[in-house]
Amino acid sequence: MNAHPPAHLELHISGQNRPATDGARQEVHSPATGEVVGSVPRATSADLEAAVQAAHTAFQSWSALTSYEREKIIRRATAHVRTQADYLGRLMALEQGKPLAQSRSEIGGACDTLDYYAAEGVRVEGWTNPTEDRNYRSWVQYQPVGVCGLITPWNYPVSLLSWKLGPALAAGCTVVVKPTSVTPLSPLAFCAALTAGGLPAGVANAITGSGSVLGEALIQHRLVAKIAMTGSSDTGRRILGLAAAQLKKVSLELGGQCPAIVCADADLDLAARMIIYKGFRNCGQSCSSINRVYAHTSIHDALVERVRVLAEKMSIGDGLTDPQVDLGPMATADGVQTSLAHVHDAVSLGATLITGGAAPAGEAFARGHYFRPTVLTQCTPEMKVMRDETFGPVVGFQTFDTTESAIALANDTAYGLVAYVFTQDFNATVRLSEALEAGTVCVNHGAVNTNYGPYAGWKDSGYGLELSRRAVFEYLKPKHIKVALR
Ligand code: NAP
């Protein structure tokens, strides 16, 4: 028996919640129990058309408001959404497995991001140019690109939506959101809550259905001017190809395989706590998770022991019944299989399993996608855990002797999202930060994502950027106006 009533939600189009035109639905399953915990409509092409048309119509009035007017409306809407944080957080915990305390706080964080961009919208500046003739006047201004298609993943279902929705709304764009089929409930309800809080009908529409059918149709719709997506690098490449055919603006936040370099002089307690936090939080299902640690030979064993002790102290359970638990289940059964496969691959190639490597024992975990925080040592670069994106709670350790070799190991990857450095030496901080091939470098902390800092994956990890004041320009187009006076 599931203790939580199933959530059967509807499409959110033009301010209305309604079923698909043909009534088709898709189920949402609990990662903690495998039970059906809700359902969403499987949108038809007619529903897609209605959502895009609603966004297109709303664009006329939304883009005509001043950014000061939009800021007021967005802040009112987020104030309302904050009152719904418990309901929205529960939906997220139900479908994603994230402990309730973390899910609730993701809703608040998403509202903060929308507010941040609402304030940023009033700071978009153009410029004037000196001209070659005294009778010319020349200025540049920015205008919203139009209807945006926002395609989002399941690991941070509302937070990663807000990274797109915030700058889009502030810039004067309207949107059609296509959340992942794994966790569609919380983003769908988030959009509906924004409308209930006063966002005009049609500004934020949300439709559900598969990425390969509905997602691709959204990308190719002629009225959709820009696509923003977070997901895997393979899907990102596919989306970029589809959008290129119509020369659409695109921003992509993609996969990661993030290294941490722990130098001989590092504060080992701090490094261990951050490896636990960034390696295992959300069961390692974060693009910025620490996947591999390069520890100086002189401190390797002491660091591993600290990490082992902390990993074994982490509490695991159903984050709905125990909101403060450290780790819930992984979101999908595939995630558990990939984690297992990466552990087996590493051990078969000579790694040592220090802790974890399997589901926790006991009846409470039998039906859910649980996996213990896992530490492997004596890893080598050819192992999957050091090379591929595990997207699970598995961290591999390898030693290094010189800073140059640590940099070479860390950069030997197709990804370039985030790199972590632990050192107390200023020169090492600067040299390592500058040499690491990643869009974000964190030195002595794990607080990766902040509204003010750009998040722009290098190499296979991204295209364009999200976050920071610059992200607003991903949703604007420049216009040069040149006037000849009489
Ligand atoms: P995914 O399978 O690539 O799916 C992401 C989104 O794309 C989902 O909404 C999916 O819809 C949709 N989609 C799939 N195929 C599509 C297609 N052909 N056309 C249009 N849309 C399509 O990724 P995921 O498994 O949900 O998320 C995990 C991945 O996201 C990891 O690789 C992770 O590193 C990455 N990620 C990156 C960041 C970052 O900021 N760099 C942050 C978080 C996660 P359906 O689910 O309905 O198929």
Side-chain angles (χ1 to χ4, degrees), residues 151-155 160 163 178-182 209-212 215-216 219 229-233 235 238-239 242 253-256 286-287 389 391 417 455 461 466:
I151 300 178
T152 54
W154 47 259
N155 56 338
L160 295 172
W163 293 8
K178 206 303 285 176
T180 168
S181 302
V182 181
S210 86
S212 55
E216 295 205 3
I219 293 160
M229 173 267 195
T230 297
S232 62
S233 300
T235 306
R238 167 98 187 133
I239 288 175
L242 290 170
E253 289 300 342
L254 306 174
S286 166
C287 50
E389 189 179 36
F391 227 57
L417 197 58
Y455 199 49
S461 289
E466 289 199 317

Side-chain angles (χ1 to χ4, degrees), residues 402-419:
T402 65
T403 307
E404 291 68 31
S405 65
I407 292 168
L409 286 165
N411 285 344
D412 183 20
T413 171
Y415 297 105
L417 197 58
V418 184

Side-chain angles (χ1 to χ4, degrees), residues 61-396:
S61 44
W62 185 245
S63 61
L65 294 176
T66 68
S67 45
Y68 289 92
E69 290 167 327
R70 284 197 292 268
E71 181 185 11
K72 281 203 187 93
I73 295 171
I74 294 167
R75 283 186 183 278
R76 262 202 309 271
T78 54
H80 172 73
V81 173
R82 286 177 204 278
T83 68
Q84 307 294 302
D86 188 63
Y87 162 66
L88 296 168
R90 273 178 196 282
L91 287 179
M92 192 189 300
L94 201 60
E95 64 186 346
Q96 205 272 352
K98 195 174 292 182
L100 185 54
Q102 295 174 31
S103 302
R104 276 198 208 109
S105 108
E106 184 169 332
I107 303 300
C111 290
D112 290 346
T113 299
L114 262 56
D115 289 348
Y116 173 89
Y117 280 107
E120 205 51 57
V122 307
R123 299 195 182 97
V124 172
E125 292 174 340
W127 69 88
T128 59
N129 295 303
T131 55
E132 66 277 29
D133 182 297
R134 73 183 73 248
N135 287 322
Y136 284 146
R137 297 294 181 273
S138 159
W139 69 91
V140 177
Q141 67 188 46
Y142 284 90
Q143 292 179 217
V145 293
V147 176
C148 301
L150 311 184
I151 300 178
T152 54
W154 47 259
N155 56 338
Y156 288 89
V158 173
S159 174
L160 295 172
L161 169 59
S162 73
W163 293 8
K164 300 159 184 57
L165 194 54
L169 297 184
C173 297
T174 55
V175 306
V176 176
V177 179
K178 206 303 285 176
T180 168
S181 302
V182 181
T183 59
L185 299 173
S186 50
L188 202 49
F190 185 81
C191 292
L194 283 170
T195 306
L199 200 66
V203 171
N205 308 278
I207 52 174
T208 44
S210 86
S212 55
V213 178
L214 189 65
E216 295 205 3
L218 175 64
I219 293 160
Q220 294 175 94
H221 197 292
R222 67 191 162 78
L223 290 180
V224 174
K226 188 223 153 78
I227 296 294
M229 173 267 195
T230 297
S232 62
S233 300
D234 284 346
T235 306
R237 268 186 278 271
R238 167 98 187 133
I239 288 175
L240 190 57
L242 290 170
Q246 293 178 22
L247 301 173
K248 291 188 180 179
K249 220 168 148 81
V250 177
S251 47
L252 304 169
E253 289 300 342
L254 306 174
Q257 225 292 0
C258 306
I261 296 177
V262 186
C263 298
D265 69 335
D267 175 338
L268 294 190
D269 290 323
L270 171 75
R273 282 202 313 279
M274 290 305 120
I275 291 166
I276 290 287
Y277 173 61
K278 286 311 302 178
F280 301 135
R281 188 176 167 85
N282 200 21
C283 292
Q285 301 166 122
S286 166
C287 50
S288 62
S289 289
I290 292 178
N291 304 105
R292 48 199 168 107
V293 177
Y294 302 106
H296 191 269
T297 311
S298 62
I299 49 88
H300 173 270
D301 292 357
L303 177 66
V304 170
E305 179 53 14
R306 283 168 167 78
V307 172
R308 181 192 67 75
V309 169
L310 292 176
E312 291 178 355
K313 276 191 193 152
M314 294 187 93
S315 54
I316 308 177
D318 183 341
L320 265 172
T321 48
D322 184 357
Q324 299 299 338
V325 77
D326 292 321
L327 299 179
M330 297 186 71
T332 66
D334 284 353
V336 174
Q337 288 314 315
T338 306
S339 301
L340 265 179
H342 283 199
V343 172
H344 290 160
D345 170 77
V347 171
S348 73
L349 291 170
T352 302
L353 179 62
I354 299 294
T355 189
E363 184 55 29
F365 304 109
R367 289 179 306 149
H369 310 315
Y370 292 96
F371 202 79
R372 286 170 53 206
T374 299
V375 176
L376 294 155
T377 58
Q378 293 175 291
C379 293
T380 51
E382 71 275 17
M383 294 174 185
K384 288 182 176 168
V385 69
M386 305 300 271
R387 203 183 63 229
D388 298 345
E389 189 179 36
T390 310
F391 227 57
V394 183
V395 178

